[in-house]
Amino acid sequence: MRNMVNLTQPYVDQFDAVKERLPGAQLPWLEARRVAGLARFKTVGLPTVKMENWKYTRLPNLDEPGFRLATWDDGHVAVAGVPAFFSDQTALVRLVYVNGIIHPELSQLDQLPDGVSVEPIAQVLETDPGFIEQHMGTEAVAYDQGFAALNAAMMESGTVFRVATGVVINQPIEIVYLNGGTAEPIYRHPRNLFVLESGSQATLVKRHAGISAGAYFNNAVTEIVVGDGAILRHYTIQADCLEALHLSSVHVRVGRDATYENFNLAIGGRLSRTETRVRLEGRGSHCNLSGAYLMKASEHCDNTTVIEHLVPDTTAREVFKGVLNDEARGVFQGKLIVHKDAQRTDGYQMSRALLLSNRAEMDTKPELEIYADDVKCSHGSTTGQIDETALFYLRSRGIPEALARNLLIQSFIAEALEEISDLRVREAMAHQVIHWLPAQCYFAEEWKQP
Amino acid sequence: MLEIKNLHATVGGNEILKGINLTINKGEVHAIMGPNGSGKSTLSYLIAGKDGYEVTKGEILYNGVDLTEMKPEVRAAEGVFLAFQYPIEIPGVPNTTFLKEALNSVRRHRGEEELDAMQFVKLIKAKAEELGIAKDMLKRAVNVGFSGGEKKRNEILQMAVLDPKLAVLDETDSGLDIDALKVVSEGVNQLRSKDRAILVITHYQRLLDHIVPDFVHVLAHGKIQRSGGKELALELEEKGYAEYGVAAE
Ligand SMILES: Nc1ncnc2c1ncn2[C@@H]1O[C@H](COP(=O)(O)OP(=O)(O)OP(=O)(O)O)[C@@H](O)[C@H]1O
Ligand SMILES: [Mg+2]
């Protein structure tokens, strides 16, 4: 058996080789954080199924396909276009990255309202490094997560999104990450920082898509600060290709009377894991972490959440729904920690999975750690198949079986989509779901005449 | 139109139908009455094609073709319609979406043009109005949170939209208030024509005041025990099923 040193050593070597050309290399505080991140990574190591919160998700051998760190050239591979999401010009602003490099010709940046900025992190490290120094919390983020620690050392791309005090933007801001399309598999360590100052409101739509078939590995870390009274609606569409590996760890701090809404739609990727950790730090704060995933072939999707209620009167809601076909696997781990002072916490958690094949598998692990006494928390999970009675009802009205199944899958997912408060985004997500379906009519038989 | 010959069928290993013979011609309305558990719904499911209902002997012919070989959706497209005794709730699928998918599926099968959204809305609005169905019920998820009577009306709306050749109504009257019973019967009577056939399953004579049958059959112990005209229903109302070896409750 290989030991941990061997497993982490290639990354350490890599860091030494590239550190000079990483963004912000001239900043001593950043270098110190990178070095600390690397040290942390060496200690924590790569996740293995022996670790409690990784027990259902096994990483493939990363050396095998010969991943290399993305370069500037990878950001200039040919791109056919940006796949549509909204049916019209709903998004106010759009940033398009190709393998971590921003492409102004694909983006739309001229309509940014005052008090709002969306910029590549490399740029902000030049213009306003103090802002990043203030908000980037390397230690807490990397504490027990090897990959987040590695990201702290290696981070090379990503977005800084800032909304100033009291600024309210209704139209969504879209960030598109196009990945892959390179001859050899590449990996990247994007680092995002979203800061909503007090009383501001914004909607952010992040989309990940594969440029073409072929492997790539994203190891992203996102830190989010939702200031007092602010509202952030944060939506992610993960439509990576079949060979893609996508790890994302999201760290959120929510202030007094503030709301953080997160919805994650995953419709593709060999292995994807989104670990979202929310700290409800201000009284009256609320978070909604929900999502839907539709997986086929041997894709694997892991949604892991940790919500900490730190003060009185905080609420949290989670609704996850998944559809698993073929040999696909789904994982949901939801941990709720109610601290001693967090009286009148209200937490709701629901995870449901629909298995379309008897080879598909779902693992669910709810965990409650409650140290306060006046608390309302409920959780539930189900794993089931298509309801045969409903299927017959639809077919008895002339709807062919394949279409009837699709309708039932759509209706199953619809319940999760209802958690999305922005209706434009909800509708666009519903289209993504429909788009996933036809390819999935593996039951589809030709609509035959008798 | 429908010929059921010596039909034996099992459900979950139990023989429920034990030799049914029934012929329904175009233009006719038949009623089946019978005690609880006698196999009326079983018969209707066999006609519609529900899984788990197995024909062990005999046959069901629809316009001369063996119905049991057809998928449920093909039966529906070919004109068979079952109004369920217990309509199914389908969370997340709006009633209009369901009706539109159903109608267009059937139209595709029949080689007719699909209706676009505008044409469909027009049709559905008119039909819903005729049946006293509120707009709100069209928007809501199929049968979810509908009252018992609303669910039954919704069945009749589906029937009106799909325009079947053979309609089987399984206790569509139960749960309806007096006014709704009239509206629903009206809907069924509109379908009455020389090209269509209707089979109503009911426990109550009062439905048959509105939808006057040409024939009434008594189903008990898995067989048709007796057939007659509409006066048979009146007799059953009065005497119950004691004569057929079924104890009164
Ligand atoms: N899945 C099943 N497994 C075993 N027995 C069943 C199953 N479904 C129905 N039955 C039995 O078949 C018999 C006939 O049921 P059916 O629903 O056809 O009666 P019915 O005549 O429609 O009664 P009602 O007037 O109450 O609606 C009943 O005894 C019922 O318990
Ligand atoms: Mg019945």
Side-chain angles (χ1 to χ4, degrees):
Chain A
M1 222 179 94
R2 297 184 302 168
N3 61 36
M4 204 57 93
V5 174
N6 284 340
L7 285 173
T8 54
Q9 195 57 46
Y11 297 93
V12 176
D13 294 346
Q14 195 138 41
F15 175 74
D16 289 335
V18 300
K19 64 182 179 202
E20 297 303 316
R21 43 183 178 92
L22 292 171
Q26 76 286 4
L27 301 164
W29 63 264
L30 185 57
E31 194 191 344
R33 289 196 193 180
R34 288 187 186 276
V35 170
L38 195 72
R40 192 74 218 155
F41 171 66
K42 282 197 259 184
T43 315
V44 181
L46 292 170
T48 73
V49 289
K50 293 207 183 90
M51 296 175 180
E52 181 54 27
N53 73 345
W54 278 86
K55 72 181 199 189
Y56 301 119
T57 297
R58 180 185 292 276
L59 284 175
N61 183 352
L62 294 168
D63 315 334
E64 212 165 66
F67 283 97
R68 61 165 176 79
L69 196 64
T71 65
W72 189 86
D73 288 339
D74 298 321
H76 296 85
V77 296
V79 174
V82 181
F85 179 63
F86 293 110
S87 55
D88 52 18
Q89 298 295 311
T90 298
L92 182 66
V93 167
R94 187 160 87 172
L95 243 71
V96 178
Y97 290 95
V98 176
N99 290 325
I101 306 287
I102 190 159
H103 280 240
E105 80 284 3
L106 299 171
S107 306
Q108 146 98 38
L109 292 163
D110 49 4
Q111 288 190 56
L112 266 182
D114 286 347
V116 182
S117 69
V118 207
E119 297 164 276
I121 195 164
Q123 193 173 311
V124 183
L125 280 170
E126 310 230 323
T127 56
D128 191 1
F131 181 79
I132 295 179
E133 186 178 5
Q134 182 193 343
H135 291 286
M136 201 169 67
T138 306
E139 266 170 58
V141 166
Y143 178 70
D144 63 348
Q145 297 181 71
F147 274 110
L150 182 60
N151 178 289
M154 303 286 279
M155 58 114 173
E156 35 55 70
S157 60
T159 305
V160 177
F161 176 51
R162 288 190 264 185
V163 187
T165 307
V167 174
V168 174
I169 21 172
N170 283 315
Q171 273 176 289
I173 288 175
E174 205 183 348
I175 309 177
V176 184
Y177 300 94
L178 301 176
N179 301 309
T182 54
E184 305 124 24
I186 54 168
Y187 64 77
R188 297 199 304 104
H189 304 279
R191 183 81 172 205
N192 303 308
L193 186 57
F194 306 154
V195 178
L196 272 83
E197 287 174 13
S198 54
S200 65
Q201 296 182 18
T203 302
L204 191 64
V205 175
K206 266 168 58 198
R207 298 162 54 202
H208 300 266
I211 293 167
S212 61
Y216 51 85
F217 174 26
N218 272 353
N219 170 34
V221 173
T222 304
E223 287 174 88
I224 300 175
V225 180
V226 188
D228 291 348
I231 299 176
L232 175 63
R233 288 171 290 263
H234 175 197
Y235 305 119
T236 306
I237 297 94
Q238 188 209 308
D240 285 304
C241 63
L242 264 177
E243 288 108 297
L245 307 174
H246 187 128
L247 299 183
S248 168
S249 104
V250 182
H251 301 259
V252 192
R253 294 166 51 204
V254 190
R256 191 180 172 112
D257 295 321
T259 293
Y260 174 68
E261 177 185 327
N262 179 315
F263 193 94
N264 188 3
L265 175 70
I267 51 175
R270 172 182 173 192
L271 184 149
S272 59
R273 168 166 162 128
T274 306
E275 179 162 343
T276 310
R277 298 186 171 212
V278 176
R279 288 169 58 86
L280 296 170
E281 295 179 347
R283 215 169 168 136
S285 59
H286 171 68
C287 74
N288 184 328
L289 307 184
S290 295
Y293 45 95
L294 299 110
M295 295 283 127
K296 59 182 182 298
S298 51
E299 292 178 324
H300 178 114
C301 180
D302 175 338
N303 282 291
T304 292
T305 65
V306 180
I307 300 174
E308 286 191 70
H309 297 262
L310 294 139
V311 294
D313 302 307
T314 59
T315 55
R317 186 176 161 84
E318 293 180 87
V319 176
F320 280 88
K321 297 199 109 181
V323 174
L324 303 170
N325 201 353
D326 307 320
E327 287 102 38
R329 277 189 72 177
V331 176
F332 173 73
Q333 306 185 100
K335 188 171 188 171
L336 212 90
I337 306 168
V338 181
H339 288 256
K340 198 160 117 295
D341 294 334
Q343 299 300 354
R344 298 175 299 283
T345 285
D346 190 340
Y348 174 83
Q349 181 190 91
M350 175 56 72
S351 158
R352 289 189 202 282
L354 187 63
L355 307 184
L356 300 184
S357 134
N358 54 16
R359 290 162 291 138
E361 191 183 318
M362 178 72 199
D363 293 295
T364 310
K365 188 178 70 181
E367 273 179 282
L368 302 179
E369 264 179 42
I370 300 178
Y371 304 103
D373 41 35
D374 182 8
V375 167
K376 205 167 83 187
C377 282
S378 67
H379 67 91
S381 73
T382 60
T383 300
Q385 277 114 37
I386 291 245
D387 177 354
E388 290 296 323
T389 320
L391 185 64
F392 171 62
Y393 190 63
L394 295 172
R395 294 177 71 192
S396 79
R397 298 308 183 233
I399 300 175
E401 182 176 352
L403 180 55
R405 283 187 190 272
N406 281 352
L407 275 174
L408 292 174
I409 294 168
Q410 255 173 274
S411 70
F412 176 79
I413 292 297
E415 198 194 346
L417 297 181
E418 277 169 24
E419 300 298 318
I420 301 170
S421 65
D422 186 301
L423 297 183
R424 298 161 298 196
V425 174
R426 192 195 291 180
E427 192 191 305
M429 292 255 197
H431 274 104
Q432 297 282 316
V433 171
I434 292 171
H435 198 71
W436 184 86
L437 289 170
Q440 294 312 305
C441 292
Y442 72 104
F443 299 99
E445 291 168 65
E446 284 308 306
W447 175 228
K448 291 190 207 96
Q449 303 283 325
Chain B
M1 174 168 283
L2 183 71
E3 281 174 277
I4 299 175
K5 295 180 187 164
N6 189 31
L7 182 67
H8 290 251
T10 58
V11 187
N14 302 330
E15 184 169 61
I16 307 295
L17 301 186
K18 301 168 183 167
I20 302 257
N21 288 294
L22 178 68
T23 299
I24 302 180
N25 295 308
K26 281 184 183 175
E28 294 175 353
V29 174
H30 290 239
I32 291 183
M33 302 183 83
N36 292 134
S38 58
K40 304 182 297 296
S41 294
T42 301
L43 179 63
S44 73
Y45 285 146
L46 282 156
I47 295 171
K50 189 173 178 174
D51 269 352
Y53 291 73
E54 208 186 323
V55 174
T56 48
K57 215 194 264 179
E59 57 186 358
I60 310 176
L61 301 179
Y62 175 67
N63 294 326
V65 182
D66 183 358
L67 203 56
T68 55
E69 293 295 304
M70 280 185 220
K71 295 183 199 174
E73 55 267 41
V74 177
R75 300 183 200 201
E78 291 286 313
V80 176
F81 182 88
L82 168 64
F84 284 58
Q85 181 175 2
Y86 303 110
I88 309 301
E89 298 187 1
I90 310 185
V93 179
N95 215 5
T96 33
T97 307
F98 165 56
L99 286 163
K100 183 160 175 261
E101 293 296 343
L103 178 61
N104 280 336
S105 295
V106 166
R107 289 180 72 96
R108 275 198 297 275
H109 179 86
R110 293 176 187 166
E112 297 163 359
E113 285 269 307
E114 291 183 33
L115 295 191
D116 63 28
M118 293 270 281
Q119 291 166 315
F120 179 75
V121 166
K122 221 173 130 190
L123 172 98
I124 194 78
K125 267 192 180 157
K127 299 276 183 198
E129 206 162 298
E130 275 173 36
L131 293 164
I133 287 170
K135 264 201 211 126
D136 156 69
M137 261 170 68
L138 296 174
K139 283 191 211 139
R140 279 157 62 186
V142 179
N143 294 326
V144 176
F146 286 24
S147 75
E150 285 170 344
K151 284 181 182 167
K152 297 303 178 79
R153 277 195 221 205
N154 203 29
E155 294 291 291
I156 297 304
L157 174 66
Q158 292 164 37
M159 183 183 79
V161 168
L162 295 179
D163 192 22
K165 293 276 183 289
L166 171 69
V168 180
L169 310 178
D170 191 357
E171 296 197 29
T172 301
D173 53 333
S174 55
L176 291 180
D177 64 41
I178 297 159
D179 295 330
L181 185 69
K182 275 191 198 147
V183 175
V184 162
S185 306
E186 197 62 26
V188 176
N189 285 330
Q190 272 183 19
L191 214 65
R192 260 183 119 143
S193 82
K194 61 176 179 16
D195 304 320
R196 296 199 181 88
I198 297 168
L199 175 62
V200 289
I201 294 167
T202 184
H203 288 294
Y204 305 107
Q205 152 63 27
R206 60 168 197 176
L207 175 70
L208 305 179
D209 285 340
H210 296 283
I211 307 171
V212 181
D214 302 301
F215 301 94
V216 174
H217 311 275
V218 180
L219 178 61
H221 305 299
K223 276 188 182 173
I224 303 249
Q225 304 288 346
R226 203 175 140 195
S227 298
K230 59 176 189 277
E231 61 292 339
L232 180 53
L234 289 167
E235 187 190 314
L236 289 170
E237 183 108 317
E238 199 175 309
K239 297 190 188 159
Y241 296 107
E243 172 183 338
Y244 308 98
V246 179
E249 281 168 33

